[in-house]
Amino acid sequence: MATKEELQKRVAELEGRIEEITAEHAKQMGQSRGMLQQVLDTIPIRVFWKDKDLNYLGCNQLFASDAELDSPQEIIGKNDFELTWAKAAELYRADEQQVIDSGEAKVNYEESQSTEDGSELWLRISKIPLRDSEGNITVVLGTYDDITEHKQAELDREHLQQEVIDAKQ
């Protein structure tokens, strides 16, 4: 049978090993988070996620740049009314609330957005509910891409087609 001192020594050894494992796990989690942020910042599409109150929990660098922020961390806790697209905040939030209420993704739809200088952007947007392990929606994940050039080309083509039809008549 082990003595009290031997048991205390063994407990101390186990506690030390637990601390090592915990530190290693924390290091690995930090590396994983860093890698995920690097992936998000590298993909050529804007990505954001919001809580059920429609406050931002995070985003990638492209999205932060669109919001005129220096880094993705600056968006945490903000809402659309506090960002450069405040005029469209009600529309964006209504889309996200619909995703939360219905539990259904809203995928690949187009919206126009007016910029502060008065120009118009076209965006292709997707918003998806994310669920916890019990199936409850906890986050809305959103992505969008600027399709202004594509949309302008499409509008120009339609205009030219109409001119051809008019000329034939």
Side-chain angles (χ1 to χ4, degrees):
M1 183 146 205
T3 66
K4 182 178 178 181
E5 291 81 23
E6 290 173 333
L7 288 174
Q8 287 175 334
K9 182 180 176 187
R10 184 69 182 136
V11 167
E13 289 172 358
L14 289 173
E15 287 174 344
R17 184 67 183 127
I18 289 170
E19 286 178 21
E20 289 173 15
I21 292 169
T22 302
E24 181 62 27
H25 180 50
K27 178 182 172 187
Q28 290 173 353
M29 290 296 292
Q31 290 172 338
S32 292
R33 284 189 188 115
M35 179 59 73
L36 178 57
Q37 190 64 50
Q38 186 177 1
V39 167
L40 288 171
D41 290 341
T42 303
I43 60 175
I45 195 163
R46 284 83 170 162
V47 180
F48 64 91
W49 51 102
K50 294 180 176 181
D51 63 22
K52 286 181 67 174
D53 295 324
L54 306 179
N55 295 312
Y56 286 95
L57 296 171
C59 68
N60 68 351
Q61 185 59 52
L62 270 177
F63 189 89
S65 295
D66 284 357
E68 297 181 3
L69 302 172
D70 293 326
S71 75
Q73 291 74 27
E74 291 179 50
I75 204 158
I76 296 170
K78 293 189 184 309
N79 64 53
D80 292 302
F81 295 106
E82 300 172 88
L83 299 170
T84 60
W85 49 78
K87 290 179 184 176
E90 289 292 342
L91 174 66
Y92 298 159
R93 292 169 65 87
D95 287 344
E96 291 147 8
Q97 193 63 54
Q98 178 186 359
V99 168
I100 290 169
D101 292 344
S102 71
E104 299 292 324
K106 193 171 178 186
V107 181
N108 288 329
Y109 62 99
E110 295 178 4
E111 270 181 9
S112 66
Q113 182 184 68
S114 298
T115 63
E116 289 184 2
D117 68 3
S119 60
E120 183 179 42
L121 299 175
W122 280 92
L123 309 175
R124 179 171 292 121
I125 304 168
S126 293
K127 295 180 180 178
I128 302 160
L130 298 182
R131 300 173 188 274
D132 64 16
S133 60
E134 283 128 32
N136 300 311
I137 295 170
T138 57
V139 173
V140 174
L141 173 68
T143 65
Y144 71 90
D145 196 16
D146 184 341
I147 59 166
T148 304
E149 288 182 22
H150 172 75
K151 192 69 168 179
Q152 189 58 52
E154 185 180 296
L155 294 172
D156 291 346
R157 182 177 49 86
E158 289 173 6
H159 180 74
L160 286 173
Q161 286 175 334
Q162 189 58 50
E163 283 183 4
V164 169
I165 290 169
D166 292 345
K168 286 182 179 179
Q169 292 176 351

